[in-house]
Amino acid sequence: MHFTINGATHAVEPDIRASLLDVLREHLGLTGTKKGCDHGQCGACTVLVNGRRINACLTLAVMHQDDDILTIEGLGSAEHLHPLQAAFIKHDGYQCGYCTPGQICSAVGMLDEVAKGWPSHVSADLETVTLDGAEISERMSGNLCRCSAYPNIVDAIAEVAGAERA
Amino acid sequence: MSDFTMNADHPGLAMDRGVQGVLGAGLDRSEGALKVSGTARYGYEHLVEGEVAYGYLITAPAAKGKVTGIDTDAARALPDVLDIIVDDPRIPRQAAAFGPAHAGNDEIDHWDQVVGVAVATSFEAARAAAKAVRVHVAIEPGHFDTMADIDKASGPPKDSRLQDIAKGDIDAAMAQAAVTIDQVYTTPNHVHAAMEPHASVAIWEGDSLTLHSSLQILKVARPVLAKALGIADDKVRILSPYIGGGFGGKMLGPDAVLAAIAAQKLGRPVKIAMARRQLFHNVYRRTDTNQRIRLAATEDGKLLAVGHDSVVSQGPDGGFMEPVALGSISLYDAPVRHFSHKVVTLDMVMAGAVRAPGEAVGTLALETAMDEMAEALGRDPIDFRKLNEPKVDPMTGAPFSTRGLVACLDRGAEAFGWAKRSAQPGQVREGEWLIGMGVSAAVRINLLVDSEARVTLSPDGRARIETDMTDIGTGSYTILAQIAGEALGLPMERIDVILGDTDLPPGAGSGGSFGAASAGSSVALACEDIVATLAERMGAKAQDMTLKDGHAVAGNRRVPLAELVGDAPLVAMGKISQGSNARTFSQAAHGAQFAEVAVNAVTGEARVRRMLGVFEAGRILNAKLARSQAIGGMIWGIGYALMEEAVLDQRHGQFVNQDLGEYHVPSHADVPPLDVLFLEEIDTHANPIGVKGLGELSISGAGAAVTNAIYNACGVRVRDFPLTLDKILAGLPEM
Ligand code: FES
Ligand code: FES
C-alpha cells in the first residue's frame, strides 16, 4: 500500500496490527510524532490526515491507502519554522517538549475547523464562531500537557490566529 | 578545579560582576527549535525497526501471591517472537528510586507486577506475545487499606529526612486555648503521569552497556542499574539528553533493567517502553495521606500550637516516607509544635517522590486548616498568617537565609484585588455561579547537592559546558548557558551546553528543586577559573577586567577572547558541595497563592477563573522559563484540588482508573490564564549563585488556594481531596 507523508509518497507493507503512529515512528523513523498513551487519551500523537487532526495511535496504518498525511516534520523544520512552531518558542508553550508536536499539529487542525465555522461546546453562537482564549482551550483539550504549559500554548495559538486571548 | 563547599557564603563570582546582560533575562529555551520541530530525540527514539528488537513487559494479574507457573508456549509460537524472558533472577519488580528495586518474579507483592519481557522483531509482535503469556498466581489476601492497618504502622524510617518532633504538650495547649481547630484531611494516591512513558534502548558492546533512556539523575541511576545487572558501574553509560517530563518519577524503571537483560541475552539492541497502563502500578506512586491538623490560638489570633500528624502508606519494599509535614515545621510561629508520621505497609507498588514530596499534599491540609482558623477567629486569612510570622526558624531558632512570605502575601493581595473578597462565604453570585476567593501560603524547603561541571573556552572563542545534569523541561540547557554567558561575557549563541551523559562530570541531576542551584553553581565556579586565567593573560586583576561580547577589557585594552585563549583551549572544572550553611540558616523558598473560583450552585462543579502566584525563590535565572515552571506547579495544584485521584479497588489492590482517560490531570479547559510575580531576593547563604528551588514551590499551596476559594464561594468545606462536584454538591443547600 502507499500513502503520502509530508508530500512524499511512501510504499509500505505494514503489519495489519500496526497503528499509523507506530508505522511513522518505528518503520519510517519519523519520531517527531509522540506516543504518550497509545489509547487516544493524550493527543501526543496528533497528525493531520487529509487536513484533519487525528490521534495516530487510534488508527491502523492499513486504513490509510492513498491518504495525505502531515506530521510535525512536514509542518516546518528547526531551520524553517512554521508560524505556530515559532510562536510556541516565543511564548514558551512547552517545557519538556514531549506533547509539543501533538499540540502544534492539533492547533493547525483546530484553526482549520474554526475557519470552516464549526462550533464547539463553548461557542455562544452556532452560526458564527469567534475564536478567543476559551474557544482555544476548549478545542485543544484533547491535547494533555503534564508540564502544564497550557496558558502559554493558548497564548501562542491566539497570537498566530490573531485571536483575543481573554 | 574550583571547588567550593557551602560552609560560608561565596565571596563573589565573576557572574555577579558580569555585564553581558543574559542572566535573568527571559530568553527563549535554547533547545526550542528542536522540540517544536520534533527533532529532539527522546530515549525510545534511538534505533528503529530493523536495527533493534522490541520488548513488551509481561505483568501479573494479582496484587499478592506466589507465582506457580508462567506459561510461555503459546507466546513463543507466535510469529516474529525472539524470546520470552521470565527466568532471569535479575528481573526487577518495579521502578527503583535510590537503590535497586527488589528483584525476582516468584512472589507478587503489588498489582500488575513485572515478571518478564516478551521480545520480538516488531512492537506489534512483542505486544501480542506478552499478552499470550499466562502468569499463574496462587493469590493470597492482601492489605490495601491504610487506615484499616493503622495498628501495625511504624514510625519514620531511620534515614528519613523527617523524624517525629514534639515541642511542648499539644493536648494541654488544645484543651486550654480559646480557639482550636482539630480536623482530619485526606488525600488520595497520585501518579506522576509524565507525558513520555518510561522507555529505554539498551545496546551492548562486549561487556559494556549503553542505555538511551529517560532518567532524571544519572549519577544515581548508573550505579543502581549496574547493581541490578551485576556489573561494574563503569561498564554502564546512560544517555538522557531529552526527557519528556519527570516530576520525580524517572529514577530508573523496569524498562531499563529488562532492556539490558534482553539485549544481553539476544546479542542485539532491545528497546522497551512501558505501556501507559503499566506505569500506574510499576512506577512508585505518591502515597495516600490521612492528616490530622491541630491548631490552637488565643482570641486575638496568636497561634499557641501547631500539630500536623499524618498516616501514609508504603509498599513492602519500604524505604521512602512521604514527609507530609515538611513544609509545616517552620512555617508559623507557635510555642507548642507536634509533627509525626505513621507508615502503614500495604501490598501495593512502592510510594516514592512525586513533585514536592511533603509540601504538595501537606499544604492542602495545613493551609485549609489555617483558613478555617482564620474564620473561627473572625480574621482575614492574610492578616492571620502575618500575625504568626516567625522572626527566626520556630523549630531550631536558626535565622532564615531569606524569608519572603509576608512580602508575597502583601504583594499578591494588592495585585489580585484581595480587598474585594467578601469574608462571608456565598455572597457573590453570577447567575448559577457562586464566586469566591482563596489564599494560601506556599513553602518548599531548599536543597543543595554536590554537582560538578566542566567548562571549556575554545580557541575559536566558544564556550562548552559539560555535565551529566539533565533537563526535564526545567530549562537547564538555557540557564546554564546564561550563567556562563554572564560570567565569561559571551552571547548565548556562542555557548554549547551538553547534558545527560554519564561520560560527563557528575551533576546534580533533576529532583528536589536542587538542579538549578547545584548545577548552576558548579558552572559558575568553573567559570571562575577561566576568568582568573583570562585576567592573568590580560595582566589585570579579575575584578578590574570586564568581559563582554567575546572580548576582555582591562586598562585601555580590548582583546578578543579567542586571542587570549591561544592555541590550547582553557578547560576548567567546577564543583559545589553542600556544607554547614544548610544548618546555620533555615532555608526555604516561599510564596503566596491566590485563586478565584466559581462554583455552580446547581451541580457543584468548581471552575478556577483566575490564579496568581507570588514567589520568592532567590535569584531568577530566566524570567520566562521561571514563569513557566511556576504556572506548571500551580496547575498541578488545580489538579490536586479538583480532580487527581488514583482510585484503589480495595478488593484487589488495583487502581481502577489506570489510564489518562480516567485518571484526570488538568487539561486545557481546566486552566484559566494565570499570573505569576517573582519577588527576587538573591540568597547567597543558600548557594554561590543565590537561587532557590522553584519547580516544587509553585505546587505548594496552590491546591489549598483553590479549595479555600471554593469555601468562600459557596460555604462548603470539603476535607477529602480531590473536591469533585459530588462532594461539593452534598454540602450545597437544596434548590
Ligand atoms: S498516544 Fe495517541 S492519544 Fe496518546
Ligand atoms: S511540554 Fe511536557 S508535557 Fe507538554
Side-chain angles (χ1 to χ4, degrees):
Chain A
M1 64 170 289
H2 30 76
F3 41 47
T4 305
I5 301 176
N6 303 329
T9 306
H10 290 262
V12 287
E13 289 305 324
D15 187 312
I16 51 160
R17 300 165 294 186
S19 67
L20 176 59
L21 176 62
D22 283 322
V23 168
L24 289 171
R25 280 169 65 82
E26 304 302 331
H27 199 82
L28 300 168
L30 291 168
T31 54
T33 308
K34 305 303 181 193
K35 184 188 280 190
C37 68
D38 222 6
H39 265 64
Q41 297 174 330
C42 75
C45 63
T46 307
V47 298
L48 295 148
V49 174
N50 304 327
R52 285 184 57 178
R53 53 177 173 163
I54 66 166
N55 289 332
C57 71
L58 274 194
T59 186
L60 296 171
V62 292
M63 296 160 67
H64 293 281
Q65 173 74 17
D66 295 330
D67 277 348
D68 192 2
I69 297 157
L70 185 69
T71 71
I72 191 74
E73 290 93 344
L75 206 59
S77 65
E79 294 73 34
H80 297 98
L81 297 170
H82 181 279
L84 271 168
Q85 292 172 320
F88 268 63
I89 295 176
K90 177 179 163 192
H91 292 278
D92 210 38
Y94 54 14
Q95 289 181 41
C96 75
Y98 198 76
C99 73
T100 312
Q103 301 274 359
I104 293 172
C105 286
S106 186
V108 171
M110 182 273 289
L111 291 175
D112 184 57
E113 292 158 19
V114 173
K116 291 186 173 123
W118 298 2
S120 82
H121 171 67
V122 299
S123 303
D125 180 344
L126 297 186
E127 300 301 323
T128 351
V129 176
T130 318
L131 194 67
D132 58 11
E135 281 281 358
I136 295 173
S137 293
E138 169 63 25
R139 290 164 186 266
M140 290 297 294
S141 280
N143 289 84
L144 298 177
C145 175
R146 187 54 157 167
C147 297
S148 300
Y150 299 121
N152 295 354
I153 294 171
V154 176
D155 286 347
I157 297 171
E159 180 178 278
V160 171
E164 284 292 321
R165 175 63 173 87
Chain B
M1 167 77 112
S2 186
D3 189 342
F4 190 81
T5 302
M6 210 60 208
N7 288 327
D9 293 8
H10 193 277
L13 294 160
M15 181 192 89
D16 298 314
R17 301 189 300 271
V19 295
Q20 189 62 32
V22 288
L23 193 67
L27 305 179
D28 294 343
R29 240 167 250 275
S30 315
E31 77 287 13
L34 299 178
K35 284 181 173 171
V36 299
S37 62
T39 33
R41 272 202 188 201
Y42 297 78
Y44 193 73
E45 294 162 2
H46 295 267
L47 303 189
V48 296
E49 222 170 279
E51 306 167 330
V52 68
Y54 290 79
Y56 197 100
L57 297 181
I58 300 163
T59 60
K64 174 97 181 129
K66 299 230 171 350
V67 175
T68 55
I70 302 180
D71 189 349
T72 63
D73 291 352
R76 286 183 197 280
L78 290 171
D80 304 324
V81 173
L82 297 169
D83 204 350
I84 308 291
I85 301 173
V86 291
D87 53 3
D88 193 300
R90 299 171 297 178
I91 291 169
R93 292 188 176 184
Q94 56 189 298
F98 286 89
H102 198 126
N105 62 358
D106 50 336
E107 266 187 56
I108 302 298
D109 63 20
H110 66 274
W111 183 267
D112 212 30
Q113 179 179 313
V114 172
V115 296
V117 61
V119 193
T121 54
S122 74
F123 170 73
E124 293 76 29
R127 182 180 53 193
K131 307 249 165 186
V133 173
R134 287 287 158 264
V135 183
H136 302 286
V137 183
I139 296 177
E140 296 161 18
H143 293 253
F144 311 118
D145 183 345
T146 307
M147 294 314 286
D149 280 353
I150 182 80
D151 294 346
K152 292 184 219 120
S154 50
K158 279 198 187 53
D159 57 352
S160 172
R161 184 176 292 288
L162 203 52
Q163 297 299 319
D164 289 349
I165 301 169
K167 190 176 169 191
D169 183 344
I170 193 160
D171 293 321
M174 291 292 287
Q176 288 155 18
V179 190
T180 59
I181 295 286
D182 185 353
Q183 291 289 358
V184 171
Y185 306 81
T186 56
T187 65
N189 285 286
H190 293 137
V191 300
H192 309 88
M195 292 309 303
E196 179 202 23
H198 291 50
S200 297
V201 184
I203 304 159
W204 288 89
E205 273 175 79
D207 60 354
S208 295
L209 171 69
T210 300
L211 189 84
H212 296 277
S213 193
S214 184
L215 299 169
Q216 296 181 218
I217 307 181
L218 301 193
K219 72 177 175 195
V220 172
R222 171 150 87 162
V224 173
L225 178 59
K227 195 161 176 209
L229 294 170
I231 60 175
D233 291 4
D234 62 6
K235 295 291 179 197
V236 176
R237 181 182 182 195
I238 302 177
L239 291 145
S240 210
Y242 297 105
I243 299 152
F247 314 114
K250 285 184 176 158
M251 295 301 289
L252 189 76
D255 53 300
V257 183
L258 279 162
I261 290 172
Q264 192 175 37
K265 183 153 185 236
L266 289 164
R268 62 192 281 184
V270 171
K271 61 156 76 169
I272 300 175
M274 289 172 72
R276 177 56 63 184
R277 292 172 73 85
Q278 293 175 340
L279 293 165
F280 279 76
H281 295 103
N282 287 290
V283 176
Y284 43 89
R285 64 197 153 94
R286 189 200 302 274
T287 173
D288 53 319
T289 70
N290 179 290
Q291 307 179 42
R292 180 185 185 192
I293 303 278
R294 282 177 288 178
L295 300 174
T298 62
E299 240 157 65
D300 50 6
K302 189 73 200 67
L303 279 173
L304 298 169
V306 177
H308 194 167
D309 301 291
S310 304
V311 185
V312 300
S313 69
Q314 179 51 283
D317 276 351
F320 175 93
M321 179 193 83
E322 177 89 18
V324 181
L326 198 56
S328 307
I329 292 174
S330 305
L331 195 53
Y332 299 114
D333 204 19
V336 176
R337 317 178 71 78
H338 195 275
F339 306 102
S340 74
H341 295 74
K342 286 192 161 71
V343 186
V344 174
T345 302
L346 299 179
D347 297 301
M348 286 178 67
V349 66
M350 301 164 49
V354 184
R355 194 174 198 166
E359 289 93 336
V361 284
T363 53
L364 292 175
L366 179 70
E367 289 299 289
T368 306
M370 286 295 285
D371 203 63
E372 295 189 53
M373 181 54 116
E375 189 184 39
L377 291 162
R379 283 194 165 262
D380 177 82
I382 294 179
D383 291 341
F384 171 52
R385 286 177 174 85
K386 285 166 64 177
L387 192 63
N388 291 288
E389 168 74 0
K391 295 202 168 47
V392 293
D393 187 306
M395 209 63 242
T396 63
F400 293 110
S401 61
T402 63
R403 175 145 171 135
L405 176 58
V406 168
C408 290
L409 286 165
D410 284 342
R411 182 78 183 84
E414 185 195 319
F416 198 68
W418 183 254
K420 292 199 217 87
R421 171 182 177 268
S422 156
Q424 173 89 9
Q427 299 303 300
V428 185
R429 187 165 185 140
E430 291 176 15
E432 281 181 6
W433 297 92
L434 297 160
I435 318 297
M437 285 190 207
V439 69
S440 169
V443 61
R444 172 65 182 164
I445 54 151
N446 191 61
L447 304 172
L448 179 72
V449 300
D450 296 359
S451 195
E452 292 177 43
R454 178 166 57 229
V455 176
T456 305
L457 189 59
S458 304
D460 62 359
R462 290 186 73 82
R464 182 181 173 89
I465 298 167
E466 295 168 298
T467 160
D468 83 352
M469 176 63 191
T470 52
D471 188 330
I472 60 174
T474 38
S476 310
Y477 282 108
T478 317
I479 57 134
L480 295 181
Q482 286 176 278
I483 289 166
E486 199 66 25
L488 302 176
L490 286 173
M492 292 291 279
E493 59 275 13
R494 281 209 238 159
I495 303 167
D496 301 308
V497 181
I498 318 297
L499 303 179
D501 179 349
T502 50
D503 276 0
L504 303 176
S510 303
S513 292
F514 51 60
S518 310
S521 291
S522 70
V523 169
L525 289 167
C527 291
E528 290 300 289
D529 280 4
I530 294 188
V531 171
T533 307
L534 293 173
E536 204 178 287
R537 293 183 185 179
M538 282 294 281
K541 287 209 181 85
Q543 301 90 284
D544 301 333
M545 176 178 70
T546 304
L547 296 170
K548 185 153 198 296
D549 295 333
H551 288 76
V553 182
N556 286 330
R557 295 201 305 144
R558 182 170 188 269
V559 186
L561 291 188
E563 195 174 302
L564 286 177
V565 172
D567 294 336
L570 299 181
V571 184
M573 293 292 299
K575 182 176 182 203
I576 181 73
S577 306
Q578 177 61 287
S580 59
N581 267 26
R583 294 176 296 280
T584 314
F585 298 96
S586 172
Q587 296 184 22
H590 297 93
Q593 308 262 14
F594 294 80
E596 182 181 298
V597 174
V599 177
N600 190 292
V602 181
T603 67
E605 178 188 8
R607 315 264 323 158
V608 181
R609 303 223 298 194
R610 61 190 182 102
M611 268 183 99
L612 166 68
V614 187
F615 303 107
E616 183 267 303
R619 184 199 293 274
I620 298 302
L621 296 167
N622 180 314
K624 182 184 286 193
L625 274 51
R627 179 182 168 278
S628 293
Q629 267 213 316
I631 61 173
M634 290 162 72
I635 292 168
W636 275 57
I638 295 176
Y640 280 16
L642 299 183
M643 61 197 81
E644 284 196 41
E645 174 175 18
V647 180
L648 191 68
D649 181 335
Q650 297 281 357
R651 297 164 305 166
H652 303 299
Q654 174 192 13
F655 291 133
V656 293
N657 55 343
Q658 53 179 318
D659 59 45
L660 295 174
E662 300 296 324
Y663 181 94
H664 290 166
V665 302
S667 74
H668 272 285
D670 297 312
V671 179
L674 305 178
D675 286 320
V676 176
L677 293 170
F678 292 110
L679 303 185
E680 192 170 14
E681 190 170 352
I682 296 172
D683 188 346
T684 48
H685 301 318
N687 50 70
I689 59 172
V691 312
K692 290 203 276 208
L694 176 61
E696 297 178 312
L697 173 65
S698 53
I699 183 177
S700 175
V706 171
T707 55
N708 290 339
I710 290 174
Y711 178 75
N712 183 246
C714 67
V716 180
R717 184 72 77 180
V718 179
R719 302 183 183 88
D720 175 26
F721 288 85
L723 275 63
T724 45
L725 72 181
D726 51 316
K727 296 177 195 169
I728 297 172
L729 188 62
L732 286 172
E734 293 281 328
M735 296 297 291

